[in-house]
mmCIF file of all heavy atoms in Angstrom:
data_model
loop_
_atom_site.group_PDB
_atom_site.id
_atom_site.type_symbol
_atom_site.label_atom_id
_atom_site.label_comp_id
_atom_site.label_asym_id
_atom_site.label_seq_id
_atom_site.Cartn_x
_atom_site.Cartn_y
_atom_site.Cartn_z
ATOM 1 N N TYR A 1 48.141 80.304 300.830
ATOM 2 C CA TYR A 1 47.660 80.309 302.216
ATOM 3 C C TYR A 1 46.798 79.091 302.504
ATOM 4 O O TYR A 1 46.918 78.455 303.558
ATOM 5 C CB TYR A 1 46.866 81.593 302.475
ATOM 6 C CG TYR A 1 46.331 81.694 303.886
ATOM 7 C CD1 TYR A 1 47.147 82.096 304.930
ATOM 8 C CD2 TYR A 1 44.999 81.361 304.159
ATOM 9 C CE1 TYR A 1 46.658 82.177 306.226
ATOM 10 C CE2 TYR A 1 44.491 81.447 305.438
ATOM 11 C CZ TYR A 1 45.323 81.859 306.481
ATOM 12 O OH TYR A 1 44.837 81.936 307.756
ATOM 13 N N LYS A 2 45.931 78.740 301.532
ATOM 14 C CA LYS A 2 45.055 77.578 301.715
ATOM 15 C C LYS A 2 45.881 76.298 301.803
ATOM 16 O O LYS A 2 45.624 75.446 302.663
ATOM 17 C CB LYS A 2 44.090 77.496 300.526
ATOM 18 C CG LYS A 2 43.058 76.378 300.620
ATOM 19 C CD LYS A 2 42.002 76.688 301.661
ATOM 20 C CE LYS A 2 40.797 75.792 301.516
ATOM 21 N NZ LYS A 2 41.106 74.351 301.615
ATOM 22 N N VAL A 3 46.867 76.158 300.915
ATOM 23 C CA VAL A 3 47.717 74.963 300.940
ATOM 24 C C VAL A 3 48.487 74.884 302.256
ATOM 25 O O VAL A 3 48.621 73.823 302.861
ATOM 26 C CB VAL A 3 48.685 74.975 299.738
ATOM 27 C CG1 VAL A 3 49.761 73.897 299.892
ATOM 28 C CG2 VAL A 3 47.922 74.741 298.443
ATOM 29 N N GLY A 4 49.004 76.026 302.702
ATOM 30 C CA GLY A 4 49.756 76.044 303.942
ATOM 31 C C GLY A 4 48.900 75.672 305.140
ATOM 32 O O GLY A 4 49.347 74.952 306.049
ATOM 33 N N GLU A 5 47.657 76.148 305.152
ATOM 34 C CA GLU A 5 46.762 75.825 306.260
ATOM 35 C C GLU A 5 46.362 74.350 306.241
ATOM 36 O O GLU A 5 46.339 73.695 307.287
ATOM 37 C CB GLU A 5 45.502 76.699 306.172
ATOM 38 C CG GLU A 5 45.736 78.149 306.582
ATOM 39 C CD GLU A 5 46.025 78.279 308.057
ATOM 40 O OE1 GLU A 5 45.273 77.700 308.859
ATOM 41 O OE2 GLU A 5 47.013 78.944 308.415
ATOM 42 N N ASP A 6 46.071 73.829 305.040
ATOM 43 C CA ASP A 6 45.612 72.444 304.951
ATOM 44 C C ASP A 6 46.721 71.449 305.257
ATOM 45 O O ASP A 6 46.476 70.401 305.864
ATOM 46 C CB ASP A 6 45.049 72.169 303.550
ATOM 47 C CG ASP A 6 43.756 72.933 303.309
ATOM 48 O OD1 ASP A 6 43.162 73.413 304.298
ATOM 49 O OD2 ASP A 6 43.348 73.070 302.132
ATOM 50 N N SER A 7 47.936 71.778 304.814
ATOM 51 C CA SER A 7 49.048 70.840 305.011
ATOM 52 C C SER A 7 49.809 71.085 306.298
ATOM 53 O O SER A 7 50.677 70.288 306.668
ATOM 54 C CB SER A 7 50.023 70.943 303.830
ATOM 55 O OG SER A 7 50.589 72.251 303.772
ATOM 56 N N GLY A 8 49.486 72.208 306.956
ATOM 57 C CA GLY A 8 50.209 72.556 308.166
ATOM 58 C C GLY A 8 51.626 73.013 307.915
ATOM 59 O O GLY A 8 52.484 72.916 308.798
ATOM 60 N N ALA A 9 51.875 73.530 306.702
ATOM 61 C CA ALA A 9 53.239 73.945 306.339
ATOM 62 C C ALA A 9 53.716 75.129 307.163
ATOM 63 O O ALA A 9 54.919 75.342 307.322
ATOM 64 C CB ALA A 9 53.292 74.307 304.854
ATOM 65 N N TRP A 10 52.772 75.916 307.695
ATOM 66 C CA TRP A 10 53.163 77.090 308.468
ATOM 67 C C TRP A 10 53.631 76.718 309.881
ATOM 68 O O TRP A 10 54.238 77.539 310.561
ATOM 69 C CB TRP A 10 51.998 78.072 308.557
ATOM 70 C CG TRP A 10 51.375 78.434 307.253
ATOM 71 C CD1 TRP A 10 50.048 78.437 306.941
ATOM 72 C CD2 TRP A 10 52.032 78.834 306.050
ATOM 73 N NE1 TRP A 10 49.843 78.815 305.638
ATOM 74 C CE2 TRP A 10 51.056 79.053 305.062
ATOM 75 C CE3 TRP A 10 53.384 78.998 305.695
ATOM 76 C CZ2 TRP A 10 51.347 79.453 303.774
ATOM 77 C CZ3 TRP A 10 53.686 79.399 304.390
ATOM 78 C CH2 TRP A 10 52.685 79.628 303.454
ATOM 79 N N SER A 11 53.360 75.504 310.291
ATOM 80 C CA SER A 11 53.750 75.114 311.652
ATOM 81 C C SER A 11 54.546 73.814 311.688
ATOM 82 O O SER A 11 54.537 73.107 312.672
ATOM 83 C CB SER A 11 52.490 74.940 312.525
ATOM 84 O OG SER A 11 51.614 73.979 311.957
ATOM 85 N N LEU A 12 55.231 73.499 310.583
ATOM 86 C CA LEU A 12 56.018 72.288 310.538
ATOM 87 C C LEU A 12 57.303 72.456 311.346
ATOM 88 O O LEU A 12 57.873 73.540 311.401
ATOM 89 C CB LEU A 12 56.393 71.955 309.075
ATOM 90 C CG LEU A 12 55.230 71.518 308.172
ATOM 91 C CD1 LEU A 12 55.715 71.359 306.756
ATOM 92 C CD2 LEU A 12 54.628 70.213 308.669
ATOM 93 N N PRO A 13 57.783 71.403 311.979
ATOM 94 C CA PRO A 13 59.042 71.494 312.733
ATOM 95 C C PRO A 13 60.231 71.725 311.823
ATOM 96 O O PRO A 13 60.155 71.535 310.601
ATOM 97 C CB PRO A 13 59.122 70.145 313.448
ATOM 98 C CG PRO A 13 58.259 69.234 312.646
ATOM 99 C CD PRO A 13 57.151 70.090 312.097
ATOM 100 N N ASP A 14 61.357 72.134 312.408
ATOM 101 C CA ASP A 14 62.541 72.489 311.638
ATOM 102 C C ASP A 14 63.133 71.302 310.884
ATOM 103 O O ASP A 14 63.798 71.485 309.856
ATOM 104 C CB ASP A 14 63.614 73.084 312.554
ATOM 105 C CG ASP A 14 63.163 74.409 313.156
ATOM 106 O OD1 ASP A 14 62.287 75.047 312.563
ATOM 107 O OD2 ASP A 14 63.701 74.795 314.227
ATOM 108 N N ASP A 15 62.931 70.089 311.390
ATOM 109 C CA ASP A 15 63.525 68.925 310.737
ATOM 110 C C ASP A 15 62.602 68.288 309.710
ATOM 111 O O ASP A 15 62.811 67.145 309.289
ATOM 112 C CB ASP A 15 63.907 67.879 311.791
ATOM 113 C CG ASP A 15 62.700 67.442 312.637
ATOM 114 O OD1 ASP A 15 61.638 68.107 312.542
ATOM 115 O OD2 ASP A 15 62.834 66.438 313.382
ATOM 116 N N THR A 16 61.604 69.024 309.263
ATOM 117 C CA THR A 16 60.669 68.497 308.256
ATOM 118 C C THR A 16 61.391 68.300 306.936
ATOM 119 O O THR A 16 62.121 69.191 306.477
ATOM 120 C CB THR A 16 59.505 69.466 308.044
ATOM 121 O OG1 THR A 16 58.824 69.636 309.279
ATOM 122 C CG2 THR A 16 58.527 68.922 307.012
ATOM 123 N N PRO A 17 61.228 67.163 306.257
ATOM 124 C CA PRO A 17 61.880 66.941 304.963
ATOM 125 C C PRO A 17 61.428 67.997 303.957
ATOM 126 O O PRO A 17 60.274 68.434 303.966
ATOM 127 C CB PRO A 17 61.402 65.538 304.551
ATOM 128 C CG PRO A 17 61.017 64.882 305.831
ATOM 129 C CD PRO A 17 60.498 65.967 306.721
ATOM 130 N N ILE A 18 62.346 68.378 303.071
ATOM 131 C CA ILE A 18 62.051 69.443 302.106
ATOM 132 C C ILE A 18 60.953 69.027 301.131
ATOM 133 O O ILE A 18 60.271 69.876 300.531
ATOM 134 C CB ILE A 18 63.338 69.831 301.343
ATOM 135 C CG1 ILE A 18 63.117 71.132 300.558
ATOM 136 C CG2 ILE A 18 63.769 68.717 300.404
ATOM 137 C CD1 ILE A 18 64.375 71.684 299.930
ATOM 138 N N GLU A 19 60.743 67.710 300.955
ATOM 139 C CA GLU A 19 59.687 67.257 300.040
ATOM 140 C C GLU A 19 58.312 67.769 300.480
ATOM 141 O O GLU A 19 57.428 67.992 299.654
ATOM 142 C CB GLU A 19 59.664 65.722 299.976
ATOM 143 C CG GLU A 19 60.851 65.109 299.251
ATOM 144 C CD GLU A 19 62.024 64.867 300.182
ATOM 145 O OE1 GLU A 19 62.005 65.425 301.312
ATOM 146 O OE2 GLU A 19 62.961 64.156 299.794
ATOM 147 N N HIS A 20 58.132 67.976 301.788
ATOM 148 C CA HIS A 20 56.826 68.396 302.301
ATOM 149 C C HIS A 20 56.561 69.887 302.085
ATOM 150 O O HIS A 20 55.412 70.313 302.064
ATOM 151 C CB HIS A 20 56.740 68.066 303.795
ATOM 152 C CG HIS A 20 56.730 66.607 304.085
ATOM 153 N ND1 HIS A 20 56.835 66.095 305.364
ATOM 154 C CD2 HIS A 20 56.639 65.532 303.250
ATOM 155 C CE1 HIS A 20 56.801 64.764 305.311
ATOM 156 N NE2 HIS A 20 56.698 64.404 304.042
ATOM 157 N N ILE A 21 57.619 70.667 301.966
ATOM 158 C CA ILE A 21 57.432 72.117 301.793
ATOM 159 C C ILE A 21 57.824 72.585 300.403
ATOM 160 O O ILE A 21 57.711 73.770 300.089
ATOM 161 C CB ILE A 21 58.252 72.896 302.847
ATOM 162 C CG1 ILE A 21 59.731 72.567 302.720
ATOM 163 C CG2 ILE A 21 57.756 72.608 304.248
ATOM 164 C CD1 ILE A 21 60.621 73.396 303.635
ATOM 165 N N ASN A 22 58.272 71.638 299.553
ATOM 166 C CA ASN A 22 58.700 72.010 298.209
ATOM 167 C C ASN A 22 57.604 72.726 297.407
ATOM 168 O O ASN A 22 57.874 73.750 296.770
ATOM 169 C CB ASN A 22 59.181 70.756 297.466
ATOM 170 C CG ASN A 22 59.920 71.090 296.192
ATOM 171 O OD1 ASN A 22 60.594 72.107 296.107
ATOM 172 N ND2 ASN A 22 59.786 70.230 295.209
ATOM 173 N N PRO A 23 56.343 72.257 297.400
ATOM 174 C CA PRO A 23 55.303 72.974 296.657
ATOM 175 C C PRO A 23 55.072 74.399 297.173
ATOM 176 O O PRO A 23 54.809 75.313 296.404
ATOM 177 C CB PRO A 23 54.059 72.103 296.847
ATOM 178 C CG PRO A 23 54.584 70.759 297.179
ATOM 179 C CD PRO A 23 55.836 70.991 297.967
ATOM 180 N N VAL A 24 55.182 74.582 298.487
ATOM 181 C CA VAL A 24 55.002 75.908 299.056
ATOM 182 C C VAL A 24 56.109 76.857 298.601
ATOM 183 O O VAL A 24 55.868 78.018 298.275
ATOM 184 C CB VAL A 24 54.960 75.821 300.598
ATOM 185 C CG1 VAL A 24 54.879 77.213 301.217
ATOM 186 C CG2 VAL A 24 53.797 74.962 301.047
ATOM 187 N N ILE A 25 57.338 76.343 298.533
ATOM 188 C CA ILE A 25 58.467 77.162 298.072
ATOM 189 C C ILE A 25 58.245 77.599 296.623
ATOM 190 O O ILE A 25 58.467 78.756 296.260
ATOM 191 C CB ILE A 25 59.781 76.366 298.204
ATOM 192 C CG1 ILE A 25 60.087 76.101 299.678
ATOM 193 C CG2 ILE A 25 60.933 77.119 297.556
ATOM 194 C CD1 ILE A 25 61.295 75.213 299.905
ATOM 195 N N LYS A 26 57.799 76.672 295.796
ATOM 196 C CA LYS A 26 57.568 76.993 294.380
ATOM 197 C C LYS A 26 56.492 78.059 294.229
ATOM 198 O O LYS A 26 56.638 79.012 293.457
ATOM 199 C CB LYS A 26 57.158 75.729 293.614
ATOM 200 C CG LYS A 26 58.265 74.687 293.515
ATOM 201 C CD LYS A 26 57.772 73.455 292.781
ATOM 202 C CE LYS A 26 58.851 72.398 292.668
ATOM 203 N NZ LYS A 26 58.383 71.193 291.954
ATOM 204 N N LEU A 27 55.408 77.916 294.970
ATOM 205 C CA LEU A 27 54.337 78.887 294.897
ATOM 206 C C LEU A 27 54.786 80.256 295.401
ATOM 207 O O LEU A 27 54.389 81.301 294.850
ATOM 208 C CB LEU A 27 53.116 78.394 295.687
ATOM 209 C CG LEU A 27 52.352 77.234 295.075
ATOM 210 C CD1 LEU A 27 51.305 76.715 296.071
ATOM 211 C CD2 LEU A 27 51.669 77.645 293.783
ATOM 212 N N PHE A 28 55.599 80.269 296.431
ATOM 213 C CA PHE A 28 56.081 81.543 296.973
ATOM 214 C C PHE A 28 56.985 82.247 295.968
ATOM 215 O O PHE A 28 56.907 83.482 295.788
ATOM 216 C CB PHE A 28 56.829 81.318 298.286
ATOM 217 C CG PHE A 28 57.344 82.586 298.902
ATOM 218 C CD1 PHE A 28 56.473 83.463 299.538
ATOM 219 C CD2 PHE A 28 58.693 82.910 298.835
ATOM 220 C CE1 PHE A 28 56.940 84.645 300.098
ATOM 221 C CE2 PHE A 28 59.170 84.072 299.386
ATOM 222 C CZ PHE A 28 58.291 84.948 300.023
ATOM 223 N N ILE A 29 57.868 81.509 295.292
ATOM 224 C CA ILE A 29 58.720 82.114 294.269
ATOM 225 C C ILE A 29 57.870 82.656 293.114
ATOM 226 O O ILE A 29 58.123 83.750 292.583
ATOM 227 C CB ILE A 29 59.736 81.076 293.757
ATOM 228 C CG1 ILE A 29 60.695 80.678 294.875
ATOM 229 C CG2 ILE A 29 60.521 81.625 292.568
ATOM 230 C CD1 ILE A 29 61.655 79.559 294.501
ATOM 231 N N LEU A 30 56.845 81.907 292.725
ATOM 232 C CA LEU A 30 55.942 82.370 291.674
ATOM 233 C C LEU A 30 55.222 83.648 292.098
ATOM 234 O O LEU A 30 55.066 84.586 291.302
ATOM 235 C CB LEU A 30 54.923 81.276 291.352
ATOM 236 C CG LEU A 30 53.949 81.543 290.204
ATOM 237 C CD1 LEU A 30 54.704 81.713 288.896
ATOM 238 C CD2 LEU A 30 52.946 80.403 290.089
ATOM 239 N N LEU A 31 54.791 83.716 293.353
ATOM 240 C CA LEU A 31 54.145 84.919 293.884
ATOM 241 C C LEU A 31 55.091 86.111 293.805
ATOM 242 O O LEU A 31 54.687 87.213 293.377
ATOM 243 C CB LEU A 31 53.709 84.664 295.318
ATOM 244 C CG LEU A 31 53.179 85.882 296.100
ATOM 245 C CD1 LEU A 31 51.923 86.423 295.456
ATOM 246 C CD2 LEU A 31 52.921 85.495 297.562
ATOM 247 N N CYS A 32 56.338 85.915 294.207
ATOM 248 C CA CYS A 32 57.326 87.011 294.157
ATOM 249 C C CYS A 32 57.541 87.487 292.725
ATOM 250 O O CYS A 32 57.699 88.697 292.481
ATOM 251 C CB CYS A 32 58.641 86.554 294.761
ATOM 252 S SG CYS A 32 58.583 86.263 296.544
ATOM 253 N N LEU A 33 57.525 86.564 291.778
ATOM 254 C CA LEU A 33 57.746 86.943 290.374
ATOM 255 C C LEU A 33 56.570 87.755 289.841
ATOM 256 O O LEU A 33 56.762 88.740 289.122
ATOM 257 C CB LEU A 33 57.960 85.687 289.540
ATOM 258 C CG LEU A 33 58.572 85.908 288.150
ATOM 259 C CD1 LEU A 33 59.919 86.608 288.268
ATOM 260 C CD2 LEU A 33 58.738 84.577 287.434
ATOM 261 N N PHE A 34 55.357 87.348 290.169
ATOM 262 C CA PHE A 34 54.184 88.123 289.755
ATOM 263 C C PHE A 34 54.209 89.528 290.369
ATOM 264 O O PHE A 34 53.852 90.513 289.707
ATOM 265 C CB PHE A 34 52.896 87.406 290.153
ATOM 266 C CG PHE A 34 52.496 86.307 289.205
ATOM 267 C CD1 PHE A 34 52.069 85.076 289.688
ATOM 268 C CD2 PHE A 34 52.524 86.499 287.840
ATOM 269 C CE1 PHE A 34 51.692 84.058 288.819
ATOM 270 C CE2 PHE A 34 52.145 85.492 286.959
ATOM 271 C CZ PHE A 34 51.730 84.272 287.458
ATOM 272 N N MET A 35 54.614 89.630 291.631
ATOM 273 C CA MET A 35 54.687 90.937 292.270
ATOM 274 C C MET A 35 55.786 91.802 291.647
ATOM 275 O O MET A 35 55.649 93.022 291.514
ATOM 276 C CB MET A 35 54.922 90.773 293.773
ATOM 277 C CG MET A 35 53.748 90.159 294.514
ATOM 278 S SD MET A 35 52.196 91.055 294.253
ATOM 279 C CE MET A 35 52.604 92.684 294.896
ATOM 280 N N THR A 36 56.898 91.173 291.266
ATOM 281 C CA THR A 36 57.945 91.915 290.571
ATOM 282 C C THR A 36 57.457 92.449 289.243
ATOM 283 O O THR A 36 57.724 93.605 288.866
ATOM 284 C CB THR A 36 59.167 90.995 290.351
ATOM 285 O OG1 THR A 36 59.654 90.534 291.612
ATOM 286 C CG2 THR A 36 60.272 91.729 289.612
ATOM 287 N N SER A 37 56.717 91.623 288.521
ATOM 288 C CA SER A 37 56.139 92.051 287.249
ATOM 289 C C SER A 37 55.172 93.213 287.455
ATOM 290 O O SER A 37 55.184 94.200 286.719
ATOM 291 C CB SER A 37 55.434 90.877 286.581
ATOM 292 O OG SER A 37 54.830 91.262 285.366
ATOM 293 N N PHE A 38 54.328 93.101 288.475
ATOM 294 C CA PHE A 38 53.387 94.183 288.782
ATOM 295 C C PHE A 38 54.129 95.495 289.102
ATOM 296 O O PHE A 38 53.756 96.560 288.605
ATOM 297 C CB PHE A 38 52.515 93.765 289.965
ATOM 298 C CG PHE A 38 51.672 94.886 290.538
ATOM 299 C CD1 PHE A 38 50.549 95.336 289.854
ATOM 300 C CD2 PHE A 38 52.012 95.474 291.743
ATOM 301 C CE1 PHE A 38 49.781 96.363 290.379
ATOM 302 C CE2 PHE A 38 51.250 96.499 292.266
ATOM 303 C CZ PHE A 38 50.137 96.952 291.583
ATOM 304 N N PHE A 39 55.171 95.412 289.920
ATOM 305 C CA PHE A 39 55.941 96.595 290.271
ATOM 306 C C PHE A 39 56.558 97.232 289.025
ATOM 307 O O PHE A 39 56.537 98.466 288.870
ATOM 308 C CB PHE A 39 57.042 96.220 291.270
ATOM 309 C CG PHE A 39 57.979 97.347 291.579
ATOM 310 C CD1 PHE A 39 57.627 98.357 292.449
ATOM 311 C CD2 PHE A 39 59.240 97.386 290.986
ATOM 312 C CE1 PHE A 39 58.494 99.407 292.729
ATOM 313 C CE2 PHE A 39 60.119 98.419 291.252
ATOM 314 C CZ PHE A 39 59.747 99.427 292.130
#
């Protein structure tokens, strides 16, 4: 959430290059994996 707020990833336009949101995607996948493990 902090990274998304600081980088503006939550409000980037649709044509934003994937390089700008790549770290957010990685963190989100990691979050899903931790939640799967918890479940």
Side-chain angles (χ1 to χ4, degrees):
Y1 180 80
K2 183 72 165 58
V3 168
E5 286 291 312
D6 292 344
S7 63
W10 308 132
S11 58
L12 291 175
D14 295 337
D15 58 349
T16 300
I18 192 172
E19 289 88 346
H20 293 171
I21 59 174
N22 193 32
V24 176
I25 295 174
K26 293 178 180 180
L27 288 171
F28 181 75
I29 295 174
L30 184 62
L31 172 63
C32 291
L33 196 58
F34 279 135
M35 292 306 299
T36 300
S37 178
F38 169 75
F39 174 78

